[in-house]
Amino acid sequence: MQVAMVQDQVRVIKALAHPARLEIARALAEGEKSVGDLQALVGGDLSTVSKHLTLMRRAGWIDCRKHGQQVLYRLACACLPTFLRCIDEIAVRSSDCDC
Amino acid sequence: MQVAMVQDQVRVIKALAHPARLEIARALAEGEKSVGDLQALVGGDLSTVSKHLTLMRRAGWIDCRKHGQQVLYRLACACLPTFLRCIDEIAVRSSDCDC
DNA sequence: GCCAAGTTTGGCAATTTTGTCAAATACGAA
DNA sequence: TTCGTATTTGACAAAATTGCCAAACTTGGC
């Protein structure tokens, strides 16, 4: 496994390793949303949300398109549900016993 | 989705969001290994590797057992290959075009 | 008991990530 | 063009993560 490849993979993982970004990913799994829509969901400054989205887009998780004044974001990968199922499974198990 | 649950999920994701930890996970997918074995693989200080392993264990990705003076670590979840396949797919796609 | 090998823990500086404000940009409507 | 809404970018302080060293455990063999 090449170093550059591992770094890309880590960048992909880090892009979801944040509460707001994980919630954004879940929301986009249900359909396209604007930056404002997502801010209403996760809170915080609009510029913060915009930066989260840039990060996720650079990593490859999401795509965007312009629609009037808005920028609509949507999932770019079909494997998110599978990914989340795996995470959920482990999260439930680890919260049972934090020894 | 509850706040505590999201935090647990983020902890699980973060546990693989590091080059050394991702390589450790891949290595353990092939079988049990000691801390020393893993240090030989990823380099760095032994204590650093040990801390990575503690983090991954707390998150729920791995388990360990004592065997003489050694501590043998192994994967605790079956979904790692699925997880990695998803990450690889996105990593390959995003490295095509970093616009 | 004592020693050596293997591992973990505590402390701490260096680096990276995060969030907010202000300013800049993009676009449609009047 | 000018205005108003939507979004992005730059700068910077606060917070979290990382990696190394030294010291502390733990276990098996003598």
Side-chain angles (χ1 to χ4, degrees), chain B residues 40-60:
Chain B
L41 185 71
V42 303
D45 200 89
L46 198 47
S47 71
T48 300
V49 175
S50 175
K51 281 179 182 172
H52 283 317
L53 290 166
T54 300
L55 202 91
M56 294 171 76
R57 187 168 54 75
R58 292 234 177 96

Side-chain angles (χ1 to χ4, degrees), chain B residues 5 7-8 25 34 51 55 66 72 77 87 99:
Chain B
M5 192 54 176
Q7 287 178 337
D8 278 341
S34 71
K51 281 179 182 172
L55 202 91
K66 290 244 168 101
L72 298 181
C77 79
I87 297 304
C99 43

Side-chain angles (χ1 to χ4, degrees), chain B residues 2-56:
Chain B
Q2 312 219 346
V3 173
M5 192 54 176
V6 174
Q7 287 178 337
D8 278 341
Q9 293 165 344
V10 167
R11 192 153 48 86
V12 172
I13 300 173
K14 281 188 177 177
L16 290 195
H18 184 286
R21 295 198 295 266
L22 190 55
E23 294 215 72
I24 287 172
R26 280 188 205 282
L28 294 182
E30 292 172 4
E32 241 177 10
K33 294 197 171 18
S34 71
V35 183
D37 291 342
L38 293 167
Q39 180 198 19
L41 185 71
V42 303
D45 200 89
L46 198 47
S47 71
T48 300
V49 175
S50 175
K51 281 179 182 172
H52 283 317
L53 290 166
T54 300
L55 202 91
M56 294 171 76

Side-chain angles (χ1 to χ4, degrees), chain A residues 68-80:
Chain A
Q69 298 151 296
Q70 308 193 108
V71 178
L72 298 181
Y73 282 87
R74 62 180 158 188
L75 275 191
C77 80
C79 64
L80 184 75

Side-chain angles (χ1 to χ4, degrees), chain A residues 11-12 14-16 18 20-26 28 38 49-63 73 75-76 80, chain B residues 90 94:
Chain A
R11 191 154 48 89
V12 172
K14 279 188 177 176
L16 289 194
H18 185 285
R21 294 198 295 265
L22 190 55
E23 294 215 73
I24 287 171
R26 280 189 204 283
L28 294 183
L38 293 167
V49 176
S50 175
K51 282 178 182 172
H52 284 317
L53 290 166
T54 300
L55 203 92
M56 294 171 77
R57 188 168 54 75
R58 292 233 176 99
W61 283 107
I62 60 180
D63 268 341
Y73 282 87
L75 275 191
L80 184 75
Chain B
I90 300 172
S94 70

